[in-house]
Amino acid sequence: MKRKILTMLRQNNEYISGQQICEELGVSRTAVWKAVNGLKNDGYVIEAVQNKGYHLLEAPDVLTEAEIGSLRTDKWKDAPIYAYAETDSTNIQAAHFAEDGAPEGTLVVADVQKSGKGRRGRKWETPSGVSIAMSFVLRPAFGPDKASMLTLLAALAGCRAVQELTGECPMIKWPNDLVLNRKKICGILTEMAFEEDYIRQVVVGIGFNVSQEQFPEELKDKATSLYLETGKHFSRAKLVSLVMKYFIDYYDEFIKTESLASVMDEYNEKLINRDEEVR
């Protein structure tokens, strides 16, 4: 109910009447009133004017099913969204849902992730209220040998999402990091379950540093956040919705050709260490 009402409020720049909400959702005025009050309790600023209706003035920076779902427009927007205040790892949770038959596009997000991991088992921390931990389920028909390419698509999607949201242009540090001013803002971890010649499921996990104002001494030269690089705060739910939108665009093209040919020029342009000596 909250998600549907938020979606309607966002689609109407002016007021939307309670009666219109009732008719479109097939619920009573009391149910609408309770849902709107629930949104207010969640931090949304909603103006209610007699004979005019409801108008959304301000939304909190939260990672909830209602907030993320109301912002999404992609073809997977109706797939399940599981939002946790705290979890061990969104990749672990997404893998559990996938094993239980969750459809492609199922999304798991968390405000706090206690046991997140990066490449080679490194820890990926997501402090409360300032970062994103998100994972989604894929069920591609191509062979396991092509699954690693999905990390590249996720990196490109992350770049485009950040650019649209902030105006900044991240670069890709191969194989699975996004950087701004050569400091890490995003990490990607793709995990696959497969048999000999087919993929059962793939889980793509992405973590973003969004609103951190400082990092521990040992990380301040290596990591940054969108806030530290721009001086501005951004909606984490909006960033999640944009990542999904752009990933699906790249993914749809990839599954047609099973080739990265159409994105290689774009990828190479964003590859920060291209033609450089690295260690």
Side-chain angles (χ1 to χ4, degrees):
M1 175 76 79
K2 288 182 179 180
R3 172 177 174 174
K4 291 178 180 178
I5 290 177
L6 267 181
T7 301
M8 295 177 70
L9 290 171
R10 285 196 157 108
Q11 290 173 346
N12 288 268
N13 293 326
E14 299 301 326
Y15 292 87
I16 181 170
S17 72
Q19 184 60 36
Q20 183 179 343
I21 297 174
C22 292
E23 292 174 356
E24 290 197 25
L25 300 185
V27 296
S28 67
R29 279 184 174 271
T30 300
V32 171
W33 179 81
K34 287 182 178 178
V36 169
N37 278 345
L39 289 169
K40 289 179 179 179
N41 291 334
D42 292 338
Y44 293 87
V45 180
I46 301 173
E47 187 177 45
V49 178
Q50 191 172 7
N51 298 324
K52 293 180 72 174
Y54 300 104
H55 180 42
L56 178 64
L57 299 178
E58 187 178 331
D61 181 25
V62 291
L63 292 175
T64 62
E65 188 272 345
E67 177 69 1
I68 295 168
S70 69
L71 289 166
R72 289 183 60 182
T73 58
D74 59 83
K75 72 174 187 178
W76 288 343
K77 62 183 175 63
D78 294 323
I81 300 174
Y82 298 95
Y84 296 95
E86 182 179 306
T87 191
D88 49 0
S89 158
T90 56
N91 263 34
I92 290 173
Q93 294 302 320
H96 288 331
F97 288 125
E99 292 287 359
D100 288 340
E104 188 166 57
T106 295
L107 173 65
V108 180
V109 296
D111 184 53
V112 175
Q113 182 176 246
K114 289 292 190 180
S115 302
K117 58 184 178 179
R119 286 182 71 236
R120 300 177 181 175
R122 296 188 181 100
K123 191 174 182 181
W124 179 272
E125 295 186 355
T126 55
S128 176
V130 297
S131 55
I132 294 170
M134 60 181 289
S135 303
F136 49 91
V137 176
L138 302 176
R139 298 191 181 278
F142 48 73
D145 59 310
K146 294 181 172 63
S148 63
M149 300 179 190
L150 297 171
T151 300
L152 278 64
L153 302 183
L156 287 170
C159 285
R160 290 189 67 182
V162 169
Q163 186 171 359
E164 179 172 332
L165 186 66
T166 71
E168 298 292 324
C169 301
M171 299 292 284
I172 298 170
K173 183 180 177 184
W174 186 89
N176 63 339
D177 291 344
L178 302 187
V179 297
L180 274 176
N181 295 323
R182 291 190 172 269
K183 294 182 180 180
K184 183 172 179 176
I185 60 161
C186 171
I188 302 165
L189 179 64
T190 303
E191 298 182 301
M192 172 177 60
F194 65 99
E195 303 298 337
E196 284 188 12
D197 58 350
Y198 77 94
I199 296 173
R200 293 206 314 271
Q201 72 219 24
V202 174
V203 171
V204 179
I206 307 175
F208 278 98
N209 299 328
V210 182
S211 299
Q212 287 94 330
E213 297 183 2
Q214 60 183 4
F215 286 88
E217 192 67 32
E218 66 272 17
L219 292 177
K220 62 170 51 177
D221 293 332
K222 300 176 182 178
T224 189
S225 68
L226 298 182
Y227 173 78
L228 287 173
E229 296 305 314
T230 66
K232 300 176 182 178
H233 288 287
F234 299 97
S235 163
R236 292 176 296 155
K238 182 63 176 177
L239 182 54
V240 171
S241 71
L242 289 171
V243 169
M244 296 303 296
K245 167 189 167 184
Y246 285 119
F247 180 84
I248 291 166
D249 288 346
Y250 288 117
Y251 182 65
D252 282 349
E253 183 62 28
F254 180 69
I255 59 179
K256 290 177 188 174
T257 63
E258 298 186 10
S259 167
L260 293 173
S262 64
V263 299
M264 283 312 299
D265 288 345
E266 180 184 0
Y267 185 81
N268 285 329
E269 286 175 5
K270 295 185 180 299
L271 198 58
I272 192 169
N273 291 324
R274 190 182 183 198
D275 297 328
E276 293 183 11
E277 184 174 317
V278 297
R279 178 172 64 87

